[in-house]
Amino acid sequence: METQVQSDTRQSGEDIPLFRKLSYSLTDFGGNVLFVSISTYLLYFYTDTFGLAIGAAGTILLVTRLLDMIDAPIWGFLIDHTHTGWGQSRPYFLWICVPFAFFTWLTFTTPNLSGTAKVIHASLTYVLSGILYTGISTPMTSILPNLSNDPDQRTVLNSYRMVGGNIGLLVANSVVLPLVQILGQGNDKKGFSYAIAILGIVSIVSFLIAFLNLREVNVTQVKSISLKQSVKATKNNWPWVLIVVTNLLYWIGTTVRSSGMIYYFQYNIHAKSLVSVAGGLSVVAVVGMIATPFFVKKTNKRTVFIGSLILASVANILFQFVGSNKVLVVVLYCIGSIGTGVAASMPFLMLADAVDFGQWKNGIRASGFLTSIGSAFCVKAGSGIGGFIPSKVMQYFGYIPNHVQSTRSLFGINFSFVWLPAILFLLATIPMFFYAKYENNEAQVRADLANQG
């Protein structure tokens, strides 16, 4: 086998210090305090604060999402061509944190523009903030195979990261609107600008701490690999293919679920106020993420992944049987969130093993390319498809905004929120049943790589 890279693949034999685990958690925390602000509030900001027409705002969001589907592998390719004294992925936390925060702030800033100029400003700032988010989120995943060669340590690190990301989500969902009100004093344009500026500073500090404290142990010694070689790392890399398929189906399902929640709560069970309650309480997903290393150690990664998807699916199906019981609805949503939270964390962990397999099988360690498609691409593509599907389903069944819905329309909303995510989660389990033989061979892969090093 022709080896294209040589790495320091030694096993450290020591636990990674707590401050480094916490530093890794700050990467997803720093990304989410801004990214969740965009995904949660930007459409409202465009229409009710910036004054864009709903059609123009929707077009901007759609086009940018399509662009986000193709920039992930580009960032991954760039990471694979990065060789510095700081490592391969770690420098991007330093290089991109300020531009990412700045363009996110610009996205929520309202210059005195009108007409086409306003649309251009919104489009450019949102596109650039989205591209930069992919640029800083891709190394969050690609760095994991290089933080440790110990599979148990990788599992723990990934758990820390996912907990940090959920805390970032909670902060964004909890503080943005209060900050807008307090800092804007009735002027939402000023309020949004100040609020995102504060979160931008928080994000920058988080990434700088991560940059200063993290260390990469797998340091590439030879020249950068070409795009052709990066693609070659996917050849016969079946564990990577299976992870990508499962992760894409998961993100389609979870986006359908989150997109349909407000419609189901408002029209089917007449409890719109529960949206914020259920959304806030869904932070219990952190419990599942903290327990993930324990479950993986007691069983294996594929079993935990399959179990979390089945839990999310069953919780969703049970909505069909609890009617308008608000307590049970919130409980089921929280249980489902534990399942989706654990499921969201597993691909980031398993992609590290796929990187090892690609090097073992093809002699090419394409950490950035493989993880960018397996994570960022799946998130962006799944979110785009998952947002499109329920809108078309509800349109087909006759949904009319802000009206009393017909029986047919209510059926469409129910199918979109209850059954469609459940079906997609179950479909996502299928590739994992074929993953067993590759996971069973991981110890041999690591041993062979260690001998090569």
Side-chain angles (χ1 to χ4, degrees):
M1 179 187 304
E2 180 183 1
T3 302
Q4 300 294 328
V5 296
Q6 299 173 351
S7 301
D8 174 10
T9 56
R10 67 188 183 280
Q11 300 274 1
S12 68
E14 299 179 359
D15 287 345
I16 293 176
L18 178 61
F19 77 92
R20 287 205 174 125
K21 296 173 184 175
L22 292 172
S23 297
Y24 188 49
S25 75
L26 286 176
T27 60
D28 221 5
F29 171 83
N32 265 3
V33 292
L34 292 181
F35 179 72
V36 172
S37 298
I38 292 173
S39 60
T40 302
Y41 301 111
L42 189 58
L43 182 60
Y44 169 81
F45 171 81
Y46 277 166
T47 57
D48 288 39
T49 302
F50 198 22
L52 287 175
I54 185 67
T59 300
I60 291 171
L61 296 178
L62 174 62
V63 171
T64 302
R65 187 165 287 173
L66 293 175
L67 286 174
D68 281 345
M69 289 172 59
I70 62 173
D71 66 355
I74 296 174
W75 280 110
F77 181 71
L78 290 174
I79 290 171
D80 285 334
H81 281 69
T82 301
H83 307 290
T84 73
W86 296 324
Q88 192 172 49
S89 301
R90 177 179 160 219
Y92 286 85
F93 302 144
L94 172 67
W95 296 337
I96 299 181
C97 65
V98 172
F100 170 52
F102 176 71
F103 278 99
T104 303
W105 170 74
L106 277 184
T107 301
F108 285 93
T109 300
T110 53
N112 187 19
L113 301 172
S114 60
T116 303
K118 182 180 289 189
V119 173
I120 292 174
H121 169 83
S123 302
L124 287 178
T125 54
Y126 183 40
V127 166
L128 290 171
S129 64
I131 290 173
L132 289 167
Y133 173 71
T134 307
I136 207 163
S137 64
T138 299
M140 293 181 205
T141 305
S142 64
I143 197 174
L144 181 58
N146 296 334
L147 290 178
S148 175
N149 297 302
D150 185 335
D152 292 335
Q153 288 296 299
R154 287 177 178 178
T155 301
V156 172
L157 281 163
N158 190 64
S159 181
Y160 271 84
R161 173 195 168 175
M162 299 310 298
V163 170
N166 267 265
I167 294 173
L169 179 150
L170 180 63
V171 168
N173 282 337
S174 302
V175 308
V176 170
L177 290 183
L179 283 176
V180 170
Q181 184 177 7
I182 294 169
L183 300 176
Q185 294 293 305
N187 184 337
D188 281 0
K189 291 183 178 181
K190 184 185 295 184
F192 268 108
S193 183
Y194 289 164
I196 300 303
I198 291 173
L199 292 185
I201 293 171
V202 172
S203 176
I204 290 170
V205 171
S206 299
F207 279 113
L208 289 179
I209 292 173
F211 167 75
L212 290 171
N213 289 332
L214 294 176
R215 296 292 184 272
E216 295 184 55
V217 298
N218 293 320
V219 182
T220 303
Q221 302 293 337
V222 297
K223 63 181 181 179
S224 301
I225 59 177
S226 67
L227 178 59
K228 182 179 180 180
Q229 289 172 309
S230 294
V231 174
K232 185 181 176 183
T234 68
K235 183 180 179 181
N236 295 321
N237 194 337
W238 292 111
W240 177 79
V241 173
L242 294 170
I243 294 166
V244 169
V245 173
T246 291
N247 201 24
L248 180 60
L249 287 170
Y250 161 76
W251 276 104
I252 296 173
T254 200
T255 305
V256 170
R257 178 177 182 261
S258 60
S259 299
M261 179 176 73
I262 189 169
Y263 299 102
Y264 182 82
F265 280 29
Q266 179 174 350
Y267 295 109
N268 291 62
I269 65 173
H270 308 292
K272 186 180 179 182
S273 60
L274 284 184
V275 172
S276 58
V277 175
L281 290 177
S282 65
V283 74
V284 297
V286 169
V287 175
M289 294 173 184
I290 293 173
T292 296
F294 171 79
F295 290 124
V296 169
K297 194 168 186 177
K298 290 296 182 182
T299 57
N300 49 63
K301 291 183 283 289
R302 68 181 182 277
T303 299
V304 174
F305 205 170
I306 291 169
S308 63
L309 289 166
I310 291 175
L311 177 63
S313 180
V314 171
N316 239 57
I317 292 171
L318 289 177
F319 280 117
Q320 194 68 55
F321 304 100
V322 301
S324 299
N325 187 313
K326 296 178 176 57
V327 173
L328 290 180
V329 165
V330 172
V331 168
L332 285 175
Y333 191 81
C334 291
I335 292 173
S337 294
I338 293 175
T340 58
V342 174
S345 71
M346 293 309 298
F348 299 117
L349 170 62
M350 298 167 78
L351 285 166
D353 301 318
V355 170
D356 290 344
F357 186 89
Q359 180 181 357
W360 177 78
K361 186 74 173 179
N362 302 305
I364 300 169
R365 189 173 185 85
S367 301
F369 188 80
L370 293 177
T371 59
S372 65
I373 296 177
S375 58
F377 174 82
C378 289
V379 172
K380 300 297 179 63
S383 298
I385 298 169
F388 176 78
I389 291 175
S391 67
K392 288 301 179 184
V393 170
M394 290 192 294
Q395 181 183 29
Y396 175 80
F397 283 100
Y399 170 75
I400 302 175
N402 300 312
H403 281 70
V404 176
Q405 302 301 317
S406 66
T407 302
R408 189 168 182 265
S409 176
L410 290 173
F411 174 82
I413 295 172
N414 182 79
F415 178 77
S416 294
F417 175 70
V418 175
W419 292 101
L420 193 52
I423 293 169
L424 288 163
F425 292 149
L426 290 177
L427 288 175
T429 67
I430 295 174
M432 285 298 99
F433 287 100
F434 295 93
Y435 190 80
K437 69 174 183 178
Y438 301 107
E439 186 169 10
N440 293 338
N441 195 43
E442 285 173 4
Q444 184 62 52
V445 169
R446 286 190 296 271
D448 290 347
L449 291 177
N451 291 332
Q452 290 175 15

